[in-house]
């Protein structure tokens, strides 16, 4: 059992520019890393598109002859599905176990000796990954959907910038959640249990399988205020389809921001506690 502490330079006016340059460099490396997996990107686009057709037909069937359900019309439902299929790859609910793998192998010890905090370095790399996914994985479903279905186009000029901010916050928030799940490996070594719980909870409570507006209002309120899950997918999608007035959209994005700050603070707290008492399997 040993104690390892990351060497992090205190923030001051002289190293702010260097910090941003380092952050940008790490984000760029994350973008280039995922750009090398061309076949995986193509396979992901095909898979998301196939499921897009399945989900879209199911939700349109739920709308029925009335053409509306839970306040969504048919165009809004189609947009919800197809943009959601693209946003799923950008936010990346599942599939990230890099931190847990490095803890299990002991490679995390070298991360703690670097001048960049582990949370910051992993966040920068994840933002680079999200940038690549926005170009390669997000655009194809968004372009395929309108070819086969009538979609909803934003009517308010403020919708697109609010959506862009909401999507960015969703990426940051989802990274924080995934980091916390992976960080359980500091104590458990094997994180398959927490990962399975995360997959089950995030898919159903984030609005991936169905819009959370289908649920009773009291349960919606509990999910939005009591958990970060709706802020991962439901909020940016509701913003884009203009499910609510502009003021409500801004309020939902503000809630996203609060969750992102809280979860990132939790990441740094967990990381600090792990550095004080760290058991590295195999080393």
């Amino acid at each position: 059992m040993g104690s390892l502490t990351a060497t992090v330079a205190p923030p001051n006016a002289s190293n702010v520019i260097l910090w941003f340059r380092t952050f940008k460099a790490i984000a760029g490396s994350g973008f280039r890393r995922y750009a090398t997996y061309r076949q995986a990107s193509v396979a992901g686009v095909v898979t998301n598109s196939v499921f897009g057709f399945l989900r879209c037909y199911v939700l349109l069937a739920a709308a029925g002859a009335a053409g509306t359900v839970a306040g969504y019309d048919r165009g809004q439902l189609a947009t919800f599905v197809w943009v959601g299929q693209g946003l799923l790859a950008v936010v990346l609910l599942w599939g990230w176990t890099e931190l847990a793998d490095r803890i299990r192998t002991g490679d995390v010890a070298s991360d703690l000796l670097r001048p960049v905090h582990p949370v910051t370095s992993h966040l920068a790399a994840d933002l680079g990954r999200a940038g690549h996914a926005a170009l390669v994985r997000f655009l194809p479903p968004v372009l395929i959907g309108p070819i086969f279905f009538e979609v909803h186009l934003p009517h308010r000029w403020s919708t697109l910038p609010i959506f862009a901010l909401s999507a960015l916050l969703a990426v940051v928030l989802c990274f924080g959640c995934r980091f916390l799940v992976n960080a359980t490996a500091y104590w458990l070594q094997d994180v398959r249990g927490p990962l399975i719980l995360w997959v089950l909870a995030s898919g159903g409570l984030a609005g991936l399988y169905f819009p959370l507006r289908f649920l009773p209002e009291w349960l919606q309120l509990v999910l939005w205020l009591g958990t970060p899950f709706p802020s991962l997918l439901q909020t940016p999608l509701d913003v884009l389809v203009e499910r609510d007035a502009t003021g409500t959209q801004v309020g939902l994005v503000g809630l996203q921001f609060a969750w992102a700050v809280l979860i990132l603070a939790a990441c740094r707290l967990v990381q600090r506690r792990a550095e004080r008492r760290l058991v590295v399997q195999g080393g």
Side-chain angles (χ1 to χ4, degrees):
M1 181 181 300
S3 177
L4 293 172
T5 303
T7 304
V8 181
N12 54 60
S14 62
N15 62 19
V16 169
I17 296 178
L18 178 60
W19 186 90
F20 277 106
R21 287 179 177 175
T22 304
F23 193 93
K24 180 181 177 181
I26 298 174
S29 67
F31 184 98
R32 292 188 297 272
R33 173 186 175 184
Y34 281 86
T36 60
Y37 303 120
R38 298 181 180 88
Q39 293 181 344
S41 297
V42 173
V45 168
V46 173
T47 301
N48 287 348
S49 299
V50 170
F51 277 96
F53 281 102
L54 296 175
R55 292 184 59 217
C56 198
Y57 281 121
V58 169
L59 289 183
L60 291 180
T68 61
V69 58
Y72 299 96
D73 60 31
R74 297 176 70 88
Q76 288 174 317
L77 288 174
T79 300
F80 190 98
V81 168
W82 286 101
V83 176
Q85 289 301 111
L87 195 61
L88 176 62
V90 178
V91 173
L92 191 64
L93 282 179
W94 316 308
W96 189 76
T97 59
E98 182 173 342
L99 176 61
D101 293 338
R102 294 184 68 80
I103 295 172
R104 179 178 55 82
T105 61
D107 292 338
V108 70
S110 62
D111 298 339
L112 301 180
L113 299 176
R114 295 171 182 170
V116 181
H117 194 280
V119 175
T120 302
S121 62
H122 282 293
L123 174 60
D126 196 66
L127 289 176
R129 174 209 58 77
H132 174 265
L135 296 176
V136 178
R137 299 286 301 276
F138 176 77
L139 291 179
V142 172
L143 297 177
I144 291 173
I147 297 176
F148 299 95
F149 301 92
E150 179 184 356
V151 298
H152 173 85
L153 298 178
H155 302 305
R156 299 191 293 262
W157 67 267
S158 59
T159 295
L160 289 180
I162 297 177
F163 169 73
L165 176 59
S166 180
L168 176 62
L169 289 173
V171 171
V172 175
L173 176 58
C174 189
F175 159 78
C177 293
R178 286 186 276 109
F179 187 96
L180 290 177
V181 173
N182 275 247
T184 59
Y186 281 118
W187 292 271
L188 301 179
Q189 275 79 54
D190 188 346
V191 296
R192 285 176 293 182
L195 283 175
I196 291 174
L197 293 177
W198 163 251
V199 169
L200 294 176
S202 60
L205 302 181
L208 174 63
Y209 302 144
F210 59 88
L212 297 181
R213 301 298 181 100
F214 286 13
L215 300 173
E217 291 187 3
W218 68 267
L219 184 54
Q220 295 178 33
L221 186 62
V222 169
L223 290 177
W224 251 286
L225 298 180
T227 74
F229 294 112
S231 295
L232 300 177
L233 279 178
Q234 182 74 35
T235 293
L237 294 176
D238 274 350
V239 167
L240 185 61
V241 303
E242 298 176 327
R243 176 64 173 72
D244 305 293
T246 302
T248 304
Q249 290 178 331
V250 174
L252 290 174
V253 173
L255 183 60
Q256 273 187 297
F257 179 79
W259 274 115
V261 172
L262 179 63
I263 293 298
L264 287 181
C267 290
R268 296 184 71 93
L269 176 62
V270 169
Q271 181 64 33
R272 183 165 64 250
R273 291 182 64 88
E275 291 168 3
R276 293 175 181 174
R277 179 180 176 87
L278 175 63
V279 177
V280 179
Q281 182 174 344

